[in-house]
Amino acid sequence: DSFLPSRPDDDVGAANDVSTQQSGGDGENDASVNIESDLKVDAPPCITLQQHTHYWEWKKYGDEEWIPISSCWVSPLNIDPVTEHGKDSDGNGEASWIFPHQMDLCQVSTVRPRSKIPHSDCADCVIDGLESVNTQDILIYDFGRELLGKVYISIPASSSTTLPPQTRLPPTVILRVGETLEEVMNGDADHFEQCLDLHYHLTKTDNARSAHQFIVEPRHVWVSYHLLAFRYVRVIIGKDHHVNVEIACQTHLPLLKQCATFSCSNGISSSNDVEPKIHQLKNGELDEKIWRIAANTLQLCIHSNFIVDGIKRDRLPWTGDLAVSLMANAYSFSDEECVRWTLTVLGRCGMDKLALQNRDEIGEKDSVRKAAMADSHVNGIVDYSLWFIISHWLYQRYFGDTHFLQQEWRLIELRLKCLIKLCSDQENGWLIIHEDDCVFIDWTVDGEKSTALQILWWQALDCGISLAQKMVGLIKESQMQSMRDTISRLENSFLKMKDIQLGFSRHSHILAVLSGLYTRLDDRASEGDWSNPDSGDERWQTLCRCRNLYDRSQEALLGNQMPPVATPFMKHLEVLAISRLGERTSALKRIRSYWGGMLDKNATTFFEAFHEKETSADVAQFYDRPFGRSLCHAWAAGPCSLYPEILLGLRPLSDGWEQWICDPLDCVSSISTTIKTKFGIIDVTLDSENLGVVVPEGSTMILMDKGYSSGRYSFPRKSLISAQRVQEWSNKYRRWQHHPTHIINPNPMIPGYEGIQMTDVPTVYQLPGDDLFYMSFIGYDGIGYQTFVTESSDLLEWTNMRLAMGYGEEGMFDFGGVVLGAYLYETNDIDAPRILLRKNGKFYCLYGAYAKKGTAECPLYEPDPGYQGLASSEDGLHWQREHDESILSIYGPGIVKDWEHSSIYQPWLIEHEGLYYNFYNAKEMPQWVEQLGLATSKDLYNWTRHEDNPIFRVGKRIGAAINDGYDTQFTSDAKVFWDREESHFCMLYFGVGKGGAHIMIAFSKDLVHWVRDPKPLYTAGANPSGLDKQYAHKISLVWNPRNETWYMFYCAVGDAGRGIGLIT
């Protein structure tokens, strides 16, 4: 239901009047009314301590929407100090609404102090202007946890004097509260952070029980006027009235049910990363406690159906805070209503001024218009206007509420329109910061904020475009194009920078990782035809600038060179960024160190700000005030969402969890959690044996690159491979050094074969008892492929090139060319010598072949369809066809599916547990997609296709990885090995996607189910000489024990043509 007038027909619109008195249920009391153009409409409620309300006046311009054009402030209502209800303007009767800070929440319960604290060190002191009192008249109570509520103080009337109860004067009572002992002991009124006024009344015997359950006789009762945030209470009572004093708190909590659960017992050591006091808890106990306290923190900050910042101050909704608390809410209470209400109110902040800025009557260069823009920002802060748009996107991602987006879209669109029109550089897209603008980013003293703001501006535009795409029929194409043009100009400005990360602060690195900016810049730099990518110097240099952005941010965020973040708000984003970078164990340790550090400071809820080196005495200090910090703050509730994502990899990939990912960490012993979604409950349990998952109806889980629809699943623990483990395994195959030129040139001038124009498909091997290295490779002469062999003693200088296997006879499947390379080795170990296995007196090799041959007048290059054959050799140097029939083709054996109906390409052969495995890539046209399939055999002659083919599909850009898009067209030319040290199989393959062809890696425990590392081991264009500007693919990996170095030979296509390159 809309809080704004809907699009009016003729001159009549509709609006909703929302009551601010919530009492459970839906929390909305909507009444649809017709409004004329000059009728004032109440704005939705706003959490504020200011005693005034805000009215808007709505007018219609032509055929446009009704928009607010002016506002006025009305006088505060008269408040009855006893009933706290408002009076009307004449002081009579009860008003129809009350102020937000006077609202009673839905759930009220009585809590008594957990303990009484001795006050022996305060003898004969003057406190708060009173005359000297005895320590027995000063009472200090510890409620044991942070509370939000009203303090009740009760003393028996009979203990005062001998007069009748109705005529006895109450004793003097002074209340002090505090979140810390230091605050509750404070007597300086200049340092009070809350109003501590008390309302007094004398209870009567006949209604005492009904009024207060703990009263059983006439008593003097004092009740705090306002809701107070505290853990400790100090009561100072006039002399000799301390007998039978009763203290209680009527706590106020929202009627929220904790929909999610979280329990953990894991074995990740934290002994070197956190303070000693935390070591008293086991890791699982610590994680559970942090998660539970984070949930309690958030619950206390859901106030009157809004998510506010803190319970001591300010009790206001802020959009930056909401971005974090929204995610925490999704993994704990899953209460979308409080998010809707908060976004609704924040969307109307400064809306009257924003609409004024948008009026066409005001000139473009009107300085008043520009200056007033600062007053129209959400919460009065530039970046909070950006967080407002981002928070709407986050709400859709975690809750999937399209109806609400439709309701609020006009406000989102108007804010985007004004930001683009008034606040952005029309030439370069940068967000312009005016003199009067307030920029927050984080509570930091050092470090510039403008770069982080520009990244946030890009993210807001990106989120705005994503939201607009859901508003079909509600957005004009001109506005959509305006957003696209602005973000394109902004991306171009980033790409033109010689060093995109120059001047980055820690906050800039965090936001750049989380926003997806780096991926977008890489996408933009990689634009073009993948089959013939632009190899110009300008594009190549731009690609080089973009390809290492994530690595540099990872190094910056894991290091200590930059100043730390100042708040749990930004700490949550930092931990999330580190987790998204694949360093989930490091992210977990940071949670334990940071939020566990607050527990060391006696926290029962989490703080507004915190630094791990703070002393206990520093905890309450903020804003140059000794007790200015709120120790229960919503933006500190981040662990609610961080733990499930870090430990189990649980996060939505599409709106409302329609598609979501599960990726448990390998090193977690056991964990269970539930998450409520619009589709139902996601239930995940991980123990030492199995992973159990309940996928609700209508949603899809992604686990190890495979989708699972609704149902109950159980996966053996030993079969799982996490994304972090993939990253760890692939790290030893990174950091390559370049050889400046081709090892084998495109035209190697082989005697008798001088017409070769290109060389390709290197495969290095050795022969039993021979120290030389041999390499087979193919040469293309315009007619077809033939395979040649060369030799080397050092893997660098290659000589004695000669034919290994030439064209087949006319009419045979290999008449048009042969591609040797899938040799049968003595061992599949990745770091073992590539020695050929002699079997029955022969060496064997599977090879790719083509039946069609070109001519000098009509060249052919890889003519469809391809075939596979079996070759043999007695010396390992000269090869011939072993079997006259093709072993695998588009014609059989077995069922040929669509993915391979166009052509069969290069095989790779290994033997494992008595079975031969043939990994091959095949093509589907007309889209030209190549994927990897598997066939098996017991004798090398007769092969059976695997029923789950293709076993390794092209990558999909589902948002699960920050480095993706490199293999969306091809996953080809697999080279599979066994890593004995880590006990897994690894597959090196080439992916084709953005930017050309790249060398990539995937891992498996059973040769069938594979998990890729979305980040290439080596990208096209990585060689600074330009040797591989277009393609880097078709590898041969060799470990040289002589110098303990990996040698990777590959087909390098660039400025020097297509030849064999080398990286080590």
Side-chain angles (χ1 to χ4, degrees):
D1 296 338
S2 177
F3 289 105
L4 282 176
S6 59
R7 189 174 187 90
D9 295 321
D10 299 322
D11 293 325
V12 180
N16 293 316
D17 180 26
V18 183
S19 171
T20 62
Q21 302 182 58
Q22 297 118 46
S23 57
D26 292 334
E28 299 181 3
N29 182 18
D30 301 335
S32 181
V33 296
N34 292 330
I35 59 172
E36 299 297 332
S37 60
D38 59 350
L39 187 65
K40 293 179 179 178
V41 181
D42 284 348
C46 182
I47 295 290
T48 175
L49 297 181
Q50 295 174 303
Q51 294 188 355
H52 53 235
T53 190
H54 194 189
Y55 285 111
W56 286 341
E57 192 172 41
W58 299 80
K59 285 193 178 294
K60 180 183 179 186
Y61 288 91
D63 295 329
E64 297 297 320
E65 293 294 327
W66 288 50
I67 58 173
I69 61 165
S70 64
S71 63
C72 59
W73 298 104
V74 298
S75 301
L77 299 181
N78 299 317
I79 303 300
D80 187 309
V82 176
T83 66
E84 297 186 350
H85 290 302
K87 299 290 184 178
D88 61 23
S89 57
D90 297 326
N92 301 316
E94 190 171 297
S96 60
W97 58 276
I98 59 176
F99 295 119
H101 73 287
Q102 297 161 330
M103 295 179 191
D104 281 343
L105 301 183
C106 304
Q107 179 177 321
V108 180
S109 59
T110 301
V111 177
R112 298 183 182 278
R114 184 168 296 179
S115 63
K116 184 176 179 180
I117 301 176
H119 199 350
S120 58
D121 57 340
C122 296
D124 298 321
C125 59
V126 177
I127 300 176
D128 301 312
L130 295 180
E131 295 180 359
S132 180
V133 296
N134 296 324
T135 58
Q136 62 182 354
D137 298 318
I138 301 174
L139 309 174
I140 304 173
Y141 299 90
D142 179 7
F143 281 79
R145 58 189 173 97
E146 189 89 6
L147 298 172
L148 175 66
K150 294 186 177 182
V151 178
Y152 282 72
I153 307 167
S154 172
I155 301 175
S158 59
S159 65
S160 299
T161 68
T162 57
L163 297 175
Q166 291 77 7
T167 61
R168 296 170 190 163
L169 295 176
T172 301
V173 172
I174 296 176
L175 172 67
R176 298 290 177 257
V177 299
E179 293 182 302
T180 64
L181 276 172
E182 291 80 7
E183 184 178 12
V184 81
M185 295 304 300
N186 170 55
D188 187 346
D190 290 340
H191 296 152
F192 291 169
E193 294 291 337
Q194 304 179 82
C195 177
L196 301 174
D197 293 346
L198 294 171
H199 168 64
Y200 165 80
H201 65 279
L202 180 68
T203 63
K204 298 179 182 180
T205 306
D206 56 357
N207 65 359
R209 282 190 175 275
S210 62
H212 301 285
Q213 292 296 321
F214 60 87
I215 298 174
V216 296
E217 58 178 312
R219 301 178 73 91
H220 301 293
V221 176
W222 292 262
V223 184
S224 58
Y225 265 105
H226 303 288
L227 295 175
L228 301 175
F230 62 92
R231 172 179 173 174
Y232 301 96
V233 169
R234 180 162 64 104
V235 179
I236 306 164
I237 305 176
K239 194 172 183 180
D240 298 329
H241 290 281
H242 60 277
V243 180
N244 295 325
V245 176
E246 294 194 22
I247 304 293
C249 172
Q250 289 211 338
T251 61
H252 290 233
L253 288 173
L255 284 173
L256 292 177
K257 180 181 179 182
Q258 186 173 298
C259 298
T261 60
F262 176 82
S263 62
C264 178
S265 172
N266 63 70
I268 303 175
S269 173
S270 60
S271 59
N272 296 322
D273 300 286
V274 292
E275 296 296 327
K277 197 169 183 180
I278 300 177
H279 298 272
Q280 298 173 8
L281 294 175
K282 295 180 180 179
N283 288 333
E285 293 173 347
L286 176 61
D287 296 335
E288 283 189 40
K289 184 172 183 179
I290 291 174
W291 190 92
R292 185 178 65 253
I293 290 179
N296 292 341
T297 300
L298 178 62
Q299 185 176 24
L300 282 168
C301 294
I302 299 177
H303 185 128
S304 303
N305 220 28
F306 298 90
I307 303 179
V308 299
D309 54 348
I311 61 173
K312 181 164 74 175
R313 42 142 292 274
D314 305 307
R315 298 187 196 165
L316 289 166
W318 301 82
T319 49
D321 309 33
L322 181 63
V324 169
S325 54
L326 180 159
M327 289 186 277
N329 177 25
Y331 287 89
S332 54
F333 301 102
S334 192
D335 181 55
E336 65 269 26
E337 184 176 287
C338 66
V339 182
R340 287 199 303 263
W341 277 68
T342 307
L343 280 172
T344 298
V345 168
L346 291 168
R348 285 143 183 80
C349 291
M351 187 51 61
D352 56 313
K353 297 182 177 63
L354 192 64
L356 185 66
Q357 305 310 310
N358 195 44
R359 288 175 58 187
D360 294 333
E361 297 93 291
I362 302 178
E364 285 286 345
K365 298 182 180 179
D366 192 326
S367 59
V368 176
R369 181 186 191 190
K370 298 259 184 187
M373 190 67 200
D375 296 329
S376 70
H377 286 299
V378 178
N379 297 122
I381 302 172
V382 177
D383 39 318
Y384 275 35
S385 285
L386 309 181
W387 277 118
F388 170 71
I389 299 163
I390 296 167
S391 292
H392 266 286
W393 183 89
L394 287 170
Y395 177 64
Q396 292 304 317
R397 179 51 51 102
Y398 285 95
F399 293 92
D401 189 352
T402 308
H403 176 73
F404 178 73
L405 178 60
Q406 293 171 341
Q407 167 192 297
E408 297 295 292
W409 173 245
R410 290 305 181 196
L411 290 178
I412 302 170
E413 183 183 33
L414 180 57
R415 192 163 294 282
L416 277 165
K417 184 177 181 181
C418 288
L419 284 168
I420 292 172
K421 196 172 184 180
L422 303 174
C423 297
S424 67
D425 179 349
Q426 298 302 308
E427 181 177 351
N428 299 308
W430 301 118
L431 189 68
I432 300 172
I433 305 174
H434 297 289
E435 183 178 355
D436 297 330
D437 286 339
C438 174
V439 179
F440 173 67
I441 302 298
D442 190 17
W443 287 124
T444 53
V445 178
D446 301 321
E448 62 89 27
K449 299 180 178 181
S450 60
T451 304
L453 184 67
Q454 300 303 331
I455 297 170
L456 206 60
W457 169 228
W458 179 88
Q459 186 177 3
L461 286 169
D462 188 54
C463 289
I465 292 170
S466 176
L467 293 172
Q469 290 169 343
K470 308 176 197 299
M471 295 293 98
V472 178
L474 294 179
I475 182 171
K476 296 179 179 179
E477 180 57 33
S478 59
Q479 176 63 14
M480 177 67 87
Q481 192 60 46
S482 175
M483 289 189 286
R484 288 172 176 157
D485 290 344
T486 302
I487 199 170
S488 179
R489 289 193 296 269
L490 185 58
E491 290 163 3
N492 288 337
S493 296
F494 276 114
L495 290 171
K496 290 176 183 176
M497 299 172 67
K498 291 184 178 180
D499 183 355
I500 295 171
Q501 295 170 320
L502 182 65
F504 264 34
S505 64
R506 182 175 292 271
H507 303 82
S508 300
H509 285 289
I510 292 168
L511 295 173
V513 169
L514 292 178
S515 66
L517 174 62
Y518 291 159
T519 299
R520 179 65 59 80
L521 295 180
D522 191 24
D523 290 350
R524 285 288 305 275
S526 303
E527 286 177 350
D529 182 4
W530 64 264
S531 64
N532 186 26
D534 177 12
S535 59
D537 287 342
E538 184 177 352
R539 172 187 177 272
W540 175 57
Q541 291 168 5
T542 302
L543 274 171
C544 291
R545 289 197 296 270
C546 294
R547 289 280 161 83
N548 64 348
L549 293 175
Y550 278 118
D551 292 339
R552 292 173 64 183
S553 282
Q554 181 171 331
E555 182 181 355
L557 294 178
L558 293 178
N560 298 314
Q561 301 301 313
M562 293 183 171
V565 299
T567 59
F569 163 65
M570 193 54 67
K571 193 69 175 183
H572 170 273
L573 299 179
E574 179 186 49
V575 171
L576 191 58
I578 291 172
S579 175
R580 298 276 173 91
L581 285 166
E583 297 288 344
R584 287 157 64 186
T585 303
S586 296
L588 180 60
K589 291 178 179 179
R590 289 182 183 234
I591 296 177
R592 292 171 177 167
S593 178
Y594 190 80
W595 278 270
M598 290 189 233
L599 296 182
D600 275 353
K601 302 299 186 290
N602 210 25
T604 60
T605 52
F606 291 132
F607 309 159
E608 175 182 14
F610 181 66
H611 192 283
E612 293 172 58
K613 295 183 180 179
E614 286 181 328
T615 66
S616 296
D618 298 329
V619 162
Q621 298 178 18
F622 216 49
Y623 307 113
D624 295 323
R625 306 201 304 263
F627 311 110
R629 187 179 307 185
S630 176
L631 300 189
C632 178
H633 203 281
W635 73 16
C640 287
S641 61
L642 290 174
Y643 271 118
E645 176 165 338
I646 291 172
L647 296 177
L648 288 170
L650 291 173
R651 61 185 175 106
L653 301 177
S654 59
D655 288 354
W657 298 80
E658 183 176 12
Q659 187 180 65
W660 49 278
I661 189 168
C662 180
D663 178 32
L665 275 180
D666 303 80
C667 45
V668 176
S669 300
S670 64
I671 184 172
S672 64
T673 190
T674 58
I675 300 171
K676 179 185 176 185
T677 74
K678 63 182 291 185
F679 298 99
I681 300 293
I682 293 173
D683 192 335
V684 181
T685 301
L686 180 72
D687 58 31
S688 60
E689 298 294 330
N690 295 289
L691 169 68
V693 184
V694 175
V695 181
E697 184 73 30
S699 70
T700 301
M701 174 185 68
I702 304 297
L703 176 69
M704 293 176 58
D705 288 347
K706 186 176 180 180
Y708 297 87
S709 58
S710 59
R712 186 180 297 271
Y713 298 91
S714 180
F715 305 92
R717 181 75 182 264
K718 62 182 180 181
S719 69
L720 302 178
I721 305 174
S722 72
Q724 175 167 303
R725 183 56 57 86
V726 166
Q727 181 172 306
E728 292 170 355
W729 285 346
S730 63
N731 278 340
K732 70 178 181 180
Y733 307 111
R734 298 191 182 278
R735 296 173 292 277
W736 296 96
Q737 304 298 315
H738 316 90
H739 193 280
T741 62
H742 285 128
I743 291 292
I744 298 180
N745 293 322
N747 182 359
M749 299 304 293
I750 303 172
Y753 301 93
E754 290 81 1
I756 290 176
Q757 306 163 13
M758 296 182 288
T759 54
D760 203 337
V761 192
T763 309
V764 175
Y765 63 91
Q766 291 180 272
L767 298 174
D770 190 342
D771 290 336
L772 287 177
F773 296 97
Y774 295 92
M775 178 199 295
S776 66
F777 64 93
I778 62 170
Y780 174 72
D781 57 6
I783 297 175
Y785 285 151
Q786 297 182 88
T787 299
F788 300 86
V789 65
T790 182
E791 60 191 52
S792 173
S793 60
D794 60 4
L795 293 171
L796 295 176
E797 299 294 332
W798 295 87
T799 61
N800 194 19
M801 298 181 188
R802 63 273 200 192
L803 184 68
M805 186 172 178
Y807 298 118
E809 301 87 348
E810 188 171 358
M812 299 301 294
F813 67 88
D814 55 5
F815 171 68
V818 294
V819 185
L820 291 177
Y823 300 104
L824 185 61
Y825 295 111
E826 289 185 347
T827 175
N828 301 315
D829 289 3
I830 192 166
D831 53 0
R834 302 283 181 260
I835 301 175
L836 299 190
L837 174 66
R838 189 180 293 275
K839 194 177 185 70
N840 300 323
K842 294 182 180 181
F843 301 112
Y844 290 91
C845 177
L846 303 185
Y847 67 99
Y850 298 93
K852 300 175 184 178
K853 183 185 295 186
T855 64
E857 295 77 20
C858 184
L860 288 178
Y861 184 78
E862 297 186 356
D864 293 340
Y867 297 81
Q868 288 185 1
L870 175 64
S872 64
S873 172
E874 294 183 356
D875 61 3
L877 301 176
H878 303 88
W879 297 80
Q880 59 280 328
R881 189 188 318 112
E882 171 70 18
H883 189 51
D884 285 341
E885 299 296 327
S886 168
I887 62 167
L888 202 71
S889 73
I890 65 170
Y891 306 111
I895 298 175
V896 179
K897 300 178 183 177
D898 288 345
W899 73 276
E900 56 180 337
H901 70 77
S902 297
S903 190
I904 300 294
Y905 288 112
Q906 186 69 5
W908 182 257
L909 176 64
I910 70 169
E911 182 182 10
H912 178 63
E913 296 181 348
L915 194 65
Y916 297 105
Y917 290 76
N918 175 5
F919 297 89
Y920 66 97
N921 54 296
K923 178 171 68 175
E924 181 180 7
M925 296 295 281
Q927 57 269 48
W928 198 350
V929 171
E930 292 189 20
Q931 302 180 92
L932 284 164
L934 173 63
T936 57
S937 173
K938 296 180 179 180
D939 59 7
L940 292 175
Y941 294 88
N942 301 287
W943 293 86
T944 302
R945 282 175 160 92
H946 198 280
E947 60 182 1
D948 290 335
N949 276 344
I951 62 162
F952 195 63
R953 300 173 182 268
V954 292
K956 293 183 179 180
R957 307 198 71 174
I958 58 176
I962 58 176
N963 289 290
D964 63 357
Y966 294 98
D967 60 355
T968 54
Q969 196 74 29
F970 287 17
T971 52
S972 299
D973 199 53
K975 306 295 171 65
V976 177
F977 302 98
W978 171 251
D979 189 323
R980 188 172 299 278
E981 181 181 355
E982 299 288 352
S983 297
H984 63 248
F985 294 97
C986 58
M987 174 201 293
L988 289 97
Y989 68 100
F990 79 83
V992 172
K994 61 181 182 181
H998 319 279
I999 300 168
M1000 306 186 70
I1001 194 167
F1003 300 93
S1004 173
K1005 293 184 178 181
D1006 61 6
L1007 289 171
V1008 175
H1009 302 92
W1010 294 88
V1011 183
R1012 80 196 70 215
D1013 189 333
K1015 179 182 178 181
L1017 298 180
Y1018 185 84
T1019 58
N1023 192 315
S1025 71
L1027 193 74
D1028 50 23
K1029 276 185 179 180
Q1030 291 182 292
Y1031 304 128
H1033 62 333
K1034 303 178 184 176
I1035 69 96
S1036 177
L1037 181 67
V1038 179
W1039 172 254
N1040 186 356
R1042 302 171 191 175
N1043 57 5
E1044 297 185 339
T1045 301
W1046 290 107
Y1047 286 70
M1048 186 183 290
F1049 300 88
Y1050 69 107
C1051 180
V1053 184
D1055 290 346
R1058 179 182 290 257
I1060 308 302
L1062 171 65
I1063 53 178
T1064 57

